[in-house]
Amino acid sequence: MNAALDTAAAFEARLREQGTAYHIHHPFNRMLNEGRATPEQIRGWVANRYYYQISIPLKDAAILSNCPDRELRRQWIQRILDHDGHGEDEGGIEAWARLALAVGLSREELEDLRHVLPAVRFAVDAYVNFARRAPWQEAMCSSLTELFAPKIHKERLANWPQHYPWIEREGLYYFQKRLSEARRDVDQALRVTIDYFKGPDAEQKALSILKFKLDILWTMNDAMALAYGVR
Ligand SMILES: O=C(O)c1cc(C(=O)O)c2c(n1)C(=O)C(=O)c1cc(C(=O)O)[nH]c1-2
């Protein structure tokens, strides 16, 4: 029993070690969070990331469509509600739209996707397509970049108000909202991943899936750095 717990803890530690390749370390993200970005660069990032935001529920619906486990579906469906909203809750996509308005984009230019770069679109679509085709446990595992997301959201909440006082504070609500949601998401996805990927080969497979997802986020930043520059 203890050996099984040790193995699970060691596997989780290896997953967490992959955080060295998280986009928090990308020069474009570092520029944003260290206060060196121009309003145009911030607007470019927000408009491009919107494509990720609107694709997340499609990705999660694809996972649900492949998952025969009712109990897990009952938990996983919360992700779609978080982003699309339900009842009185406007949801994360609307919160992202508020961020866009706060940085000076119009709702029209956000929603018609005119600023979305081809490589960002390809990278995000690769994530959705992976979720459509892969076994649902692999697709759930690929969400584990969220292990590293609370730190990046916290950096934005801590640094953006001082570096970018021209952005209305309410615009940053999305990042606050994600702090607790991401922690809960990670608990679910970690449980599935630790249960499903047993043994060295399977663990290696999980690590390669996580790397694939890290690469998606990194590639989005590469594309934005090329289009909007890095200072
Ligand atoms: O701002 C970020 O850097 C960042 C990263 C990630 C991530 O690591 O995948 C997500 C989010 N934000 C996010 O807001 C979010 O809702 C989300 C869902 C997922 C996922 O893979 O299911 N990742 C992320």
Side-chain angles (χ1 to χ4, degrees):
M1 187 60 205
N2 281 347
L5 284 179
D6 285 352
T7 307
F11 180 29
E12 181 176 335
R14 287 182 74 205
L15 290 163
R16 288 183 185 276
E17 276 166 21
Q18 308 305 305
T20 52
Y22 195 49
H23 63 176
I24 198 169
H25 304 297
H26 193 286
F28 192 78
N29 182 71
R30 287 183 36 212
M31 173 186 75
L32 287 177
N33 281 4
E34 289 167 12
R36 285 175 277 116
T38 62
E40 286 68 32
Q41 286 167 321
I42 292 182
R43 284 194 271 274
W45 178 76
V46 171
N48 274 274
R49 264 293 301 263
Y50 181 69
Y51 190 62
Y52 188 72
Q53 303 307 132
I54 60 174
S55 299
I56 291 288
L58 302 181
K59 180 272 292 184
D60 287 316
I63 293 177
L64 287 181
S65 77
N66 288 326
C67 176
D69 184 322
R70 176 169 171 240
E71 197 46 51
L72 271 177
R73 286 202 308 268
R74 282 167 59 94
Q75 296 164 19
W76 205 267
I77 202 167
Q78 185 61 44
R79 295 169 180 247
I80 298 180
L81 301 176
D82 288 344
H83 287 275
D84 285 341
H86 60 107
E88 299 287 290
D89 175 6
E90 290 186 323
I93 293 174
E94 184 54 29
W96 197 271
R98 292 191 189 284
L99 170 64
L101 298 177
V103 302
L105 289 161
S106 70
R107 191 174 279 272
E108 190 188 359
E109 69 185 304
L110 178 76
E111 291 181 352
D112 69 14
L113 307 180
R114 77 183 71 162
H115 299 297
V116 178
L117 299 162
V120 167
R121 190 184 286 269
F122 293 144
V124 174
D125 289 351
Y127 187 32
V128 177
N129 286 325
F130 178 75
R132 289 190 175 126
R133 294 186 191 127
W136 55 273
Q137 299 93 335
E138 293 190 10
M140 287 185 178
C141 169
S142 71
S143 73
L144 279 179
T145 45
E146 283 195 275
L147 278 169
F148 319 117
K151 180 155 185 230
I152 206 170
H153 293 315
K154 273 196 208 148
E155 269 189 5
R156 294 173 188 134
L157 286 165
N159 300 346
W160 284 33
Q162 88 198 58
H163 292 312
Y164 310 117
W166 54 272
I167 302 177
E168 272 182 46
R169 197 66 211 253
E170 295 81 62
L172 306 183
Y173 168 67
Y174 178 82
F175 305 128
Q176 188 68 46
K177 170 177 158 63
R178 281 309 295 170
L179 286 180
S180 55
E181 293 172 355
R183 285 204 188 88
R184 183 212 54 216
D185 287 358
V186 159
D187 288 345
Q188 285 168 2
L190 259 183
R191 249 179 286 126
V192 170
T193 299
I194 289 169
D195 276 356
Y196 180 70
F197 296 91
K198 294 247 195 264
D201 290 351
E203 287 190 8
Q204 202 49 49
K205 172 88 181 169
L207 291 168
S208 73
I209 291 166
L210 183 53
K211 183 61 170 50
F212 159 76
K213 170 68 177 306
L214 288 161
D215 288 347
I216 284 170
L217 297 171
W218 196 267
T219 301
M220 291 168 67
N221 279 268
D222 280 350
M224 290 185 266
L226 192 61
Y228 307 119
V230 183
R231 306 183 314 150

